[in-house]
């Protein structure tokens, strides 16, 4: 395949992959929602979980997004240094978003700051947001697509703590945010926490934490223990599905960290909602694709 044809195929694949992401939750999220729903015994909580699964069934049958809120589209790109389209990925992703918006169709969400105008196609200044990672000596690309809904982004926050506040300060920050704003994000939530030396690193890591599969653990045993303890504590708030109270509050708590400065503990918080539309695709040098997040998916 020549480069021009590869570009057309790449854009088309990402457009269909993005549209697919809006209509189908990944396997791990569906499994977790089922597990949490089965634990509920209150009438209201059971009704909400039933409504969620009805929504997923209808989205699939009618080929419509699982939520009206497209979110702001974000891509986390891990690109091999020998991938043939490495120079064109950003432009291709912007074209793919325009195409996905018409194809799905997706509600246009991107509003230009200061102009206060909706662009009408989910593309705008620096949107889709793209985060990059290089993979040396490889010729493929792996792309996470994440639809960051307005409600699910509302509890997000980041702060630099005084060092003496310690990890207890991190926990207090998370509990203050989730108990105050978590209900806005259509629970059960996925809670992403970043811990680092400065605020922008902590904030970015908190979003990256949302990409990890449910059931995965922090690479450091102490980090994994803190994840489990925060998850247990947040579940004891009994926020429940949709915020109507129930046995649990969260689908999981993921922490990602970077070595910090001795004088600072920066903490970032991002949340995902029950409709956690996060997907992962791998595309090789000949533009063949494999969707990793949704078993057996074809687009
Ligand atoms: S928080 Fe999630 S489920 Fe709720 S409206 Fe926003 S995108 Fe949809």
């Amino acid at each position: 395949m020549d480069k021009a044809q590869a570009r057309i195929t790449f854009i088309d694949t990402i457009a269909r992959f993005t549209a697919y992401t809006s209509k189908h939750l990944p396997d791990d999220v569906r499994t977790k929602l089922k597990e949490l729903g089965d634990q509920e015994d209150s009438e209201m909580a059971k009704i909400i979980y039933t409504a969620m699964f009805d929504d997923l069934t209808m989205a699939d049958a009618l080929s419509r997004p699982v939520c009206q809120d497209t979110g702001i589209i974000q891509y986390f790109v891990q690109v091999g240094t020998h991938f043939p389209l490495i120079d064109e990925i950003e432009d291709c992703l912007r074209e793919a978003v325009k195409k996905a918006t018409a194809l799905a169709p997706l509600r246009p969400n991107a509003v230009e700051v200061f102009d206060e105008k909706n662009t009408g196609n989910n593309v705008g200044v620096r949107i889709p947001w793209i985060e990059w990672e290089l993979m040396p000596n490889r010729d493929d690309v792996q792309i996470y697509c994440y639809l960051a809904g307005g409600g699910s982004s509302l509890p997000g926050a980041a702060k630099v703590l005084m060092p003496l506040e310690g990890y207890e300060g991190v926990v207090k920050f998370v509990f203050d945010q989730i108990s105050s704003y978590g209900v806005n994000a259509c629970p059960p939530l996925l809670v992403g926490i970043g811990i680092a030396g400065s605020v922008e690193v902590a904030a970015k890591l908190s979003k990256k934490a949302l990409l990890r599969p449910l059931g995965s653990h922090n690479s450091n045993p102490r980090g994994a223990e803190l994840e489990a303890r925060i998850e247990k504590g947040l579940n004891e708030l009994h926020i429940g599905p949709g915020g109507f109270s129930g046995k649990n509050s969260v689908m999981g708590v993921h922490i990602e960290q970077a070595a910090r400065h001795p004088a600072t503990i920066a903490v970032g918080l991002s949340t995902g909602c029950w409709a956690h539309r996060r997907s992962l695709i791998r595309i090789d040098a000949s533009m063949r694709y494999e969707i990793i997040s949704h078993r057996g998916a074809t687009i």
Side-chain angles (χ1 to χ4, degrees), residues 67-71 147-153 184-186 273-277:
C67 180
Q68 37 73 37
D69 184 0
T70 303
L147 306 186
S152 57
S153 300
N184 292 297
C186 296
C273 59
W274 77 269
H276 188 52
R277 290 151 300 166

Side-chain angles (χ1 to χ4, degrees), residues 9-21 75 92 95-101 103-104 106 299:
T9 305
F10 183 75
I11 291 172
D12 186 56
T13 301
I14 296 297
R16 286 184 289 118
F17 169 61
T18 303
Y20 186 91
T21 302
Y75 296 108
C92 289
E95 288 307 310
V97 167
K98 290 180 199 164
K99 204 168 171 180
T101 299
L103 182 73
L106 301 174
I299 52 175

Side-chain angles (χ1 to χ4, degrees), residues 3-297:
K3 210 163 182 183
Q5 186 55 47
R7 181 186 158 92
I8 291 168
T9 305
F10 183 75
I11 291 172
D12 186 56
T13 301
I14 296 297
R16 286 184 289 118
F17 169 61
T18 303
Y20 186 91
T21 302
S22 74
K23 299 173 185 179
H24 305 273
L25 295 189
D27 300 334
D28 59 333
V29 174
R30 286 187 74 106
T31 303
K32 191 67 186 182
L33 288 173
K34 174 86 175 63
E35 182 190 315
L36 295 179
D38 287 347
Q39 290 174 23
E40 293 295 350
D41 47 25
S42 89
E43 207 50 45
M44 182 55 96
K46 284 198 275 193
I47 287 170
I48 304 287
Y49 276 111
T50 301
M52 289 174 181
F53 278 95
D54 285 350
D55 174 81
L56 296 178
T57 304
M58 283 193 282
D60 187 41
L62 301 172
S63 188
R64 287 288 179 270
V66 298
C67 180
Q68 37 73 37
D69 184 0
T70 303
I72 288 291
I73 300 175
Q74 305 183 336
Y75 296 108
F76 297 78
V77 179
Q78 298 168 334
V79 60
T81 49
H82 303 304
F83 183 65
L85 295 176
I86 188 168
D87 294 333
E88 301 182 39
I89 289 179
E90 181 168 349
D91 184 49
C92 289
L93 292 178
R94 290 177 71 85
E95 288 307 310
V97 167
K98 290 180 199 164
K99 204 168 171 180
T101 299
L103 182 73
L106 301 174
R107 188 183 81 183
N109 262 16
V111 174
E112 292 294 14
V113 173
F114 304 127
D115 301 333
E116 294 307 303
K117 281 215 173 92
N118 192 319
T119 62
N121 57 13
N122 284 310
V123 167
V125 173
R126 298 199 172 104
I127 293 301
W129 182 256
I130 304 171
E131 290 280 333
W132 297 96
E133 246 175 74
L134 288 177
M135 301 191 294
N137 303 314
R138 281 178 58 163
D139 63 0
D140 60 340
V141 64
Q142 296 192 149
I143 301 178
Y144 286 92
C145 174
Y146 181 63
L147 306 186
S152 57
S153 300
L154 266 173
K159 188 180 180 185
V160 184
L161 306 176
M162 299 294 276
L164 278 179
E165 291 181 77
Y167 296 111
E168 295 89 335
V170 169
V171 173
K172 180 176 181 304
F173 174 81
V174 170
F175 274 74
D176 283 350
Q177 281 300 116
I178 298 296
S179 58
S180 302
Y181 302 107
V183 73
N184 292 297
C186 296
L189 310 171
L190 177 57
V191 176
I193 302 168
I195 304 176
S198 58
V199 75
E200 83 288 0
V201 178
K204 283 190 178 189
L205 288 175
S206 73
K207 179 54 72 74
K208 268 196 158 175
L210 297 184
L211 304 180
R212 261 176 43 199
L214 287 166
S216 62
H217 304 290
N218 187 275
S219 53
N220 182 306
R222 288 183 185 148
E225 189 191 340
L226 187 58
E227 287 177 337
R229 290 173 72 174
I230 294 175
E231 179 172 343
K232 184 168 180 291
L234 289 176
N235 280 336
E236 285 170 6
L237 298 178
H238 300 297
I239 294 172
F244 288 99
S245 81
K247 296 260 187 210
N248 298 296
S249 312
V250 299
M251 294 192 282
V253 173
H254 294 172
I255 302 175
E256 288 295 311
Q257 70 273 31
R260 66 180 180 85
H261 190 286
T264 60
I265 299 181
V267 53
L269 175 77
S270 294
T271 45
C273 59
W274 77 269
H276 188 52
R277 290 151 300 166
R278 172 259 285 133
S279 54
L280 174 60
I281 193 169
R282 178 177 170 274
I283 301 176
D284 69 17
S286 61
M287 301 301 132
R288 272 193 305 261
Y289 75 84
E290 174 195 8
I291 297 180
I292 296 165
S293 51
H294 298 64
R295 207 172 319 116

